[in-house]
């Protein structure tokens, strides 16, 4: 054990007489080849892990011996491993906070009680700041799990594993076979009509998840005495308390208990996938899809991610053999700041093995970044549902992640721990703060606006069906070169010719009436001639329509229609897209889409250096000699490849099965591509690429402030 030998607070506890409670059970564990001792209160089922050296000292404490006498005796017998006085004060206060100590009297233990009260204050402060996550215990499931264990222990484990693997494999195959349909279905997962069923599947899956933890814990000899409801962002979900696994001596048993919930999730996700793939639209199909979504997402993003303190985190900590991994990683970074930034030479790293340094160096910052991203997502989700509550969540998040660490830093700088080097500490903090402030608020950083688009010929025509009808023939196939005026397709003209014959007969009848009216009144002749003129005009219109049924190339180029041959004999509606004619000799241009927020930057700041990189040919940068931003919003994408369904990043409307209609309006940017003879690039219409536009340099704060303001205006219509 390490720590200062003497403590200014020692006199407050020196005369106290304490010992471990009689009901405390002792368990031995092995972490990374080093022994640890776990103390368990048999009544409250609270646990406390400490080193064998600390436990050897705690065993010396009895109600008949003063703490100071016990410490002096242990120091004389074990001078190399005896704890320092400050460490004894901290150890006893932590044991007392865990309700593991017995006090013969409370007259001289003010320091321990004060530290316990401070510990309780921190607990309550943490609960207040995490008011959207709290638990309510309801029931003791231990007897039920015991009866379940008596029944299931007769089932061979190999059978259970075989069934689990078979179902998960079948579910994976079903998902892969219906991947396009899954992509379409996923866009409506959070529709209002689906939210109730999504919650039903979430609650049911969570119940089975927690029972999986509880049963495996019971199977390995643990106890599960608490089943209740936890309220996660005001959403009630079941939970069980399996903290008895902390006392398991076998780390693989602890890992399996933590993994049991995710194994249940994946099994239920596979069952949901099979149900979804085997049923048609309806309630059962929707429940299967939601179960598949919940089981897979919860396992991959939350429970299966060691960066969050859920199941995978405890599995990871047990696997690497580092107890309290998250806290120790944070403490190690605090140590680095205290030692090298503030100059505290007495600071000691919280490591038990030199190999732990690399784990702590990587884990703490990565987990912090991921936790910030997840927290931001939760805050935005709550604000989407209840804006006022979301603001409260945002405020508490800022207090917990910004204000409280700042307050702790100020308290540390003004406290006794840095008294001997306070000037060095203040200078270090001041220099770092100044550098960060200059980088954030003052220094302008260059950046570029990247817009995804597709390469198109600057001269291309889209061919549409002029009227409802059937396609009789397709004269040209996909990819063939055509000349201007060349026939490409012909539509059925039988009904149109019949209409022309009928109109011709009606006009002939009117001519007969006109000759008969010559002997009558002039008014009658005028009426008949007007009808003749109308029929003549209709015949002219029908003749023009007849010409349009022979679809011809408007200019020379290459005819592009993937289904031109297959469409022969098919009935098409007016306006149906039949193909494209692309002029292969015309220059190419990149047609990109830009969101409303990013388009404003182009309008306001103008354009700097322009360049294009094509997918699969990113080693070549193509120059741009002309850029045009169409000054009106639209929602029809230049190509389905730019939408989510085509692998792009633009959200598309769930009502458009082709994926060509965006979910929100955008601006279209057209840039003419320039190539040089030295560049070996394949310019083919339809290739995806990225249009890069250099923007004026700005500070990070300016860009962040504008992005946040635009997000609030767009998403919440505030400001």
């Amino acid at each position: 054990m390490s720590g200062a030998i003497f403590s200014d607070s020692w006199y407050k506890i020196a005369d106290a007489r304490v010992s471990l409670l009689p009901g405390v059970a002792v368990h031995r564990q092995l972490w990374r080849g080093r022994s640890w001792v776990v103390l368990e209160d048999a009544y409250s089922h609270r646990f406390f892990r400490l080193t064998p050296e600390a436990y050897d000292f705690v065993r010396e404490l009895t109600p008949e011996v003063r703490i100071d006498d016990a410490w002096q005796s242990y120091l004389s017998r074990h001078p190399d491993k005896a704890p320092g006085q400050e460490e004894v004060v901290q150890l006893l206060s932590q044991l007392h906070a865990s309700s593991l100590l017995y006090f013969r009297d409370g007259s001289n233990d003010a320091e321990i009680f004060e530290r316990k009260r401070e510990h309780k204050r921190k607990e309550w402060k943490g609960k207040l700041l995490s008011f959207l996550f709290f638990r309510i215990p309801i029931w003791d499931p231990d007897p039920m799990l015991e009866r379940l264990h008596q029944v299931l222990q007769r089932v061979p484990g190999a059978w259970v594993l075989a069934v689990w693997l078979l179902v998960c494999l079948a579910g994976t195959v079903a998902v892969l076979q219906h991947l396009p349909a899954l992509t379409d279905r996923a866009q409506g997962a959070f529709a209002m009509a689906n939210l109730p069923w999504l919650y039903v599947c979430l609650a049911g899956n969570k119940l089975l998840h927690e029972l999986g933890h509880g049963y495996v814990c019971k199977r390995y000899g643990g106890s599960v005495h608490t089943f209740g409801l936890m309220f996660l962002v005001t959403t009630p979900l079941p939970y069980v308390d399996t903290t008895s696994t902390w006392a398991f001596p076998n780390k693989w048993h602890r890992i399996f208990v933590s993994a049991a919930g995710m194994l249940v999730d994946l099994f239920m996700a596979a069952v949901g996938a099979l149900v979804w793939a085997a049923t048609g639209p309806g309630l059962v199909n929707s429940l299967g899809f939601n179960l598949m979504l919940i089981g897979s997402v919860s396992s991959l993003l939350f429970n299966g991610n060691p960066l969050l303190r859920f199941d995978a985190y405890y599995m990871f900590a047990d696997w690497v053999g580092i107890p309290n991994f998250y806290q120790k990683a944070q403490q190690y970074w605090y140590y680095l700041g205290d030692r090298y930034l503030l100059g505290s030479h007495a600071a000691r790293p919280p490591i038990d093995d030199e190999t732990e340094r690399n784990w702590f160096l990587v884990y703490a910052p990565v987990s912090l970044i991921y936790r910030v991203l997840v927290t931001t997502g939760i805050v935005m989700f709550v604000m989407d549902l209840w804006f006022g509550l979301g603001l409260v969540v945002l405020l508490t998040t800022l207090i917990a992640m910004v204000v409280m660490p700042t307050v702790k830093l100020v308290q540390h700088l003004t406290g006794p721990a840095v008294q001997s080097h306070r000037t060095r500490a203040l200078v270090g903090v001041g220099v770092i703060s100044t550098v960060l402030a200059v980088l954030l608020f003052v220094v302008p950083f260059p950046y570029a606006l990247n817009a995804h688009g597709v390469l198109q010929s600057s001269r291309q025509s889209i061919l549409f069906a002029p009227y409802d009808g059937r396609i009789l023939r397709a004269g040209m196939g996909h990819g063939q070169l055509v000349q201007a005026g060349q026939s490409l397709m012909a539509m059925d003209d039988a009904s149109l010719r019949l209409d022309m014959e009928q109109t011709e007969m009606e006009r002939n009848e009117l001519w007969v009436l006109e000759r008969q009216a010559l002997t009558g009144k002039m008014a009658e002749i005028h009426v008949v001639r007007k009808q003749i003129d109308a029929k003549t005009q209709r015949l002219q219109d029908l003749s023009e329509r007849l010409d349009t049924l022979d679809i011809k190339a408007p200019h020379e180029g290459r005819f592009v229609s993937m289904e031109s041959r297959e469409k022969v004999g098919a009935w098409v509606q007016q306006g149906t897209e039949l193909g494209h004619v692309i002029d292969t000799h015309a220059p190419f241009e990149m047609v990109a889409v830009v969101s409303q927020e990013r388009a404003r930057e182009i309008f306001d700041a103008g354009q700097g250096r322009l360049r294009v990189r094509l997918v699969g040919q990113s080693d070549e940068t193509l120059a741009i000699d002309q850029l045009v931003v169409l000054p009106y919003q639209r929602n029809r994408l230049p190509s389905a490849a730019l939408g989510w369904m085509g692998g792009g990043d633009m959200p598309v409307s769930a009502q458009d099965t082709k994926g060509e209609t965006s979910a929100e309006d955008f601006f279209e940017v057209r840039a003419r591509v320039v190539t040089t003879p030295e560049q070996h690039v394949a310019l083919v219409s339809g290739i995806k690429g990225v249009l890069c536009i250099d923007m004026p340099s700005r500070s990070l704060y300016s860009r962040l402030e504008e992005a946040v303001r635009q997000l609030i205006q767009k998403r919440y219509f505030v400001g």
Side-chain angles (χ1 to χ4, degrees):
M1 301 178 70
S2 61
I5 297 180
F6 301 104
S7 170
D8 295 336
S9 304
W10 185 253
Y11 73 94
K12 298 181 180 180
I13 69 166
D15 295 330
R17 302 169 188 268
V18 301
S19 68
L20 289 176
L21 288 171
V24 173
V26 180
H27 308 276
R28 301 282 181 174
Q29 289 183 349
L30 195 66
W31 294 75
R32 298 173 69 86
R34 183 179 180 185
S35 297
W36 289 80
V37 176
V38 176
L39 305 180
E40 176 188 5
D41 183 359
Y43 298 101
S44 64
H45 300 287
R46 302 190 66 168
F47 296 83
F48 186 82
R49 184 184 288 113
L50 68 168
T51 62
E53 295 82 4
Y55 176 66
D56 288 342
F57 170 73
V58 171
R59 285 195 305 175
E60 300 286 332
L61 301 177
T62 65
E64 290 76 26
V65 180
R66 297 166 55 249
I67 292 178
D68 185 67
D69 295 336
W71 181 73
Q72 294 286 352
S73 174
Y74 191 83
L75 180 63
S76 62
R77 288 183 286 112
H78 307 284
D80 296 333
K81 64 178 183 179
Q85 290 182 351
E86 180 61 27
E87 192 169 0
V88 171
V89 174
Q90 294 179 0
L91 175 63
L92 295 181
S93 63
Q94 292 171 356
L95 289 171
H96 185 38
S98 300
S99 302
L100 297 174
L101 284 186
Y102 164 75
F103 286 81
R104 180 174 176 179
D105 59 73
S107 57
N108 296 317
D109 54 6
E111 180 67 15
I112 294 178
F113 276 104
E114 176 59 31
R115 299 203 179 200
K116 179 185 178 181
R117 284 193 293 268
E118 179 63 24
H119 180 78
K120 291 296 183 182
R121 282 195 295 268
K122 291 181 179 179
E123 282 188 350
W124 277 106
K125 188 182 297 183
K127 290 179 179 179
L128 289 175
L129 292 176
S130 60
F131 68 96
L132 290 179
F133 178 79
F134 61 93
R135 296 180 172 184
I136 301 178
I138 297 177
W139 171 54
D140 183 355
D142 200 67
M144 184 271 291
L145 292 175
E146 179 63 34
R147 291 192 296 270
L148 182 64
H149 175 56
Q150 296 300 326
V151 175
L152 295 182
Q153 67 178 349
R154 301 184 180 91
V155 181
W159 291 11
V160 176
L161 177 61
V163 172
W164 186 88
L165 289 174
L166 182 62
V167 173
C168 290
L169 179 61
T172 303
V173 172
V175 169
L176 294 177
Q177 290 178 340
H178 298 82
L179 204 55
L182 176 63
T183 304
D184 297 341
R185 181 67 175 82
Q187 296 190 51
F190 294 98
M192 290 300 298
N194 189 55
L195 288 181
W197 300 119
L198 190 67
Y199 171 73
V200 169
C201 293
L202 174 62
N205 189 80
K206 184 64 175 176
L207 176 62
L208 296 176
H209 173 103
E210 295 297 321
L211 290 179
H213 285 309
Y215 173 74
V216 176
C217 177
K218 192 67 181 177
R219 185 182 182 91
Y220 289 127
S223 58
V224 183
H225 291 285
T226 303
F227 172 90
L229 288 178
M230 64 176 178
F231 288 81
L232 181 61
V233 194
T234 71
T235 303
L237 296 171
Y239 82 95
V240 297
D241 185 358
T242 58
T243 52
S244 61
T245 58
W246 293 357
F248 288 179
N250 190 322
K251 76 172 185 177
W252 296 109
H253 290 175
R254 298 194 299 270
I255 290 175
F256 190 32
V257 172
S258 299
M262 288 186 293
L263 296 178
V264 172
D265 287 343
L266 294 175
F267 182 83
M268 296 308 299
V271 171
L274 293 174
V275 172
W276 170 73
T279 58
L283 177 59
V284 176
N285 181 269
S286 179
L287 292 176
F289 172 80
N290 290 330
L291 193 60
M292 172 181 60
L293 180 67
I294 292 297
S296 56
V297 170
S298 64
S299 294
L300 296 176
L301 296 184
F302 295 98
N303 290 304
N305 193 326
L307 298 178
L308 297 176
R309 297 177 65 187
F310 293 121
D311 296 340
Y313 161 77
Y314 295 104
M315 294 171 60
F316 177 73
D318 282 314
W319 177 65
V320 299
I322 305 178
N324 302 320
F325 187 93
Y326 178 81
Q327 293 88 340
K328 295 182 73 173
Q330 283 189 323
Q331 292 169 6
Y332 184 73
W333 276 84
Y334 292 154
Y335 153 75
L336 292 178
D338 200 17
R339 173 68 180 83
Y340 298 103
L341 176 61
L342 305 184
S344 302
H345 295 282
R348 295 292 181 268
I351 59 174
D352 302 307
D353 190 308
E354 287 299 320
T355 59
E356 294 179 357
R357 293 181 185 271
N358 295 332
W359 287 113
F360 295 158
L361 278 173
V362 175
Y363 184 83
V366 173
S367 64
L368 175 61
I369 294 172
Y370 189 78
R371 188 155 48 94
V372 169
L373 294 176
V374 172
T375 303
T376 303
I378 292 176
V379 170
M380 295 179 64
F381 174 74
V382 176
M383 293 182 72
D384 287 343
L385 297 179
W386 306 285
F387 185 75
L389 181 60
L391 291 178
V392 177
V393 177
L394 177 61
L395 179 61
T396 56
T397 301
L398 292 176
I399 292 175
M401 302 186 73
V402 179
V403 176
M404 291 184 62
T406 303
V407 171
K408 289 181 180 179
L409 175 61
V410 173
Q411 291 175 345
H412 183 68
L413 291 174
T414 57
V418 296
Q419 183 175 359
S420 60
H421 54 280
R422 197 182 309 279
T423 302
R424 158 70 190 277
L426 293 175
V427 170
V429 172
V431 170
I432 294 296
S433 300
T434 302
V435 171
L436 292 178
V438 170
L439 291 177
L440 182 62
F441 296 99
V442 179
V443 178
F445 287 90
Y447 75 103
L449 186 153
N450 296 325
H452 294 264
V454 292
L455 196 65
Q456 292 183 355
S457 171
S458 59
R459 188 186 183 197
Q460 65 174 359
S461 302
I462 304 177
L463 307 177
F464 298 97
Y467 304 101
D468 296 347
R470 193 179 307 279
I471 297 179
L472 289 182
R473 62 177 175 82
M476 305 298 292
H478 172 69
Q480 291 185 286
L481 294 174
V482 298
Q483 299 297 323
Q486 187 173 354
S487 178
L488 305 177
M489 288 184 181
M491 298 183 63
D492 186 7
D493 59 358
S495 60
L496 194 58
R497 291 187 180 277
L498 183 62
D499 196 3
M500 290 181 66
E501 292 178 3
Q502 179 68 27
T503 305
E504 182 71 28
M505 293 173 59
E506 292 175 354
R507 188 176 66 168
N508 292 337
E509 292 178 359
L510 289 172
W511 278 338
V512 173
L513 292 176
E514 181 187 26
R515 287 193 294 269
Q516 293 176 356
L518 289 175
T519 59
K521 298 179 180 179
M522 292 299 297
E524 294 179 358
I525 296 177
H526 179 70
V527 172
V528 173
R529 286 177 176 173
K530 287 184 62 176
Q531 293 178 350
I532 292 174
D533 292 341
K535 295 299 180 181
T536 303
Q537 181 63 44
R538 176 166 175 76
L539 283 172
Q540 183 179 350
D541 294 340
L542 290 174
S543 178
E544 293 176 356
R545 290 178 59 182
L546 187 63
D547 292 338
T548 61
L549 292 181
D550 185 12
I551 302 171
K552 301 177 180 179
H555 53 78
E556 66 172 347
R558 190 176 297 276
F559 178 55
V560 178
S561 178
M562 297 293 292
E563 302 174 350
S564 59
R565 302 293 189 185
E566 290 79 0
K567 288 180 179 178
V568 174
W571 180 273
V572 294
Q573 294 181 338
Q574 182 180 0
T576 301
E577 185 176 315
L578 301 178
H580 297 235
V581 176
I582 301 173
D583 188 346
T584 55
H585 300 293
F588 282 86
E589 61 182 9
M590 175 62 66
V591 182
V593 294
V594 179
S595 65
Q596 300 178 52
E597 297 82 8
R598 307 302 299 275
R600 176 190 171 189
E601 298 182 55
I602 302 178
F603 287 131
D604 292 349
Q607 301 95 37
R609 177 170 171 253
L610 307 172
R611 58 202 182 277
V612 166
R613 290 189 177 93
L614 301 179
V615 173
Q617 306 177 69
S618 58
D619 55 325
E620 293 284 356
T621 300
L622 307 181
I624 299 294
D625 70 348
Q626 183 180 4
L627 184 138
V628 177
V629 182
L630 302 185
Y632 57 88
Q633 300 180 44
R634 54 183 306 181
N635 60 5
R636 186 173 180 83
L637 295 171
S639 171
L642 299 179
W644 280 353
M645 297 175 63
D649 59 353
M650 182 67 70
V652 297
S653 173
Q655 286 72 34
D656 184 4
T657 57
K658 295 183 178 180
E660 298 176 345
T661 305
S662 65
E664 59 185 36
D665 292 343
F666 61 86
F667 286 91
E668 187 174 292
V669 179
R670 293 181 174 268
R672 191 163 63 185
V673 177
V674 178
T675 60
T676 61
E678 294 78 16
Q679 291 180 315
H680 301 285
V681 293
L683 299 182
V684 180
S685 185
I687 292 181
K688 294 168 59 175
V690 178
L691 172 63
C692 303
I693 307 173
D694 288 338
M695 307 302 295
S697 300
R698 296 168 58 190
S699 68
L700 295 177
Y701 172 78
S702 174
R703 293 170 54 188
L704 179 62
E705 185 268 339
E706 182 180 40
V708 171
R709 187 177 68 253
Q710 290 178 346
L711 175 66
I712 294 175
Q713 291 175 345
K714 175 182 176 181
R715 196 177 185 111
Y716 307 111
F717 307 102
V718 176

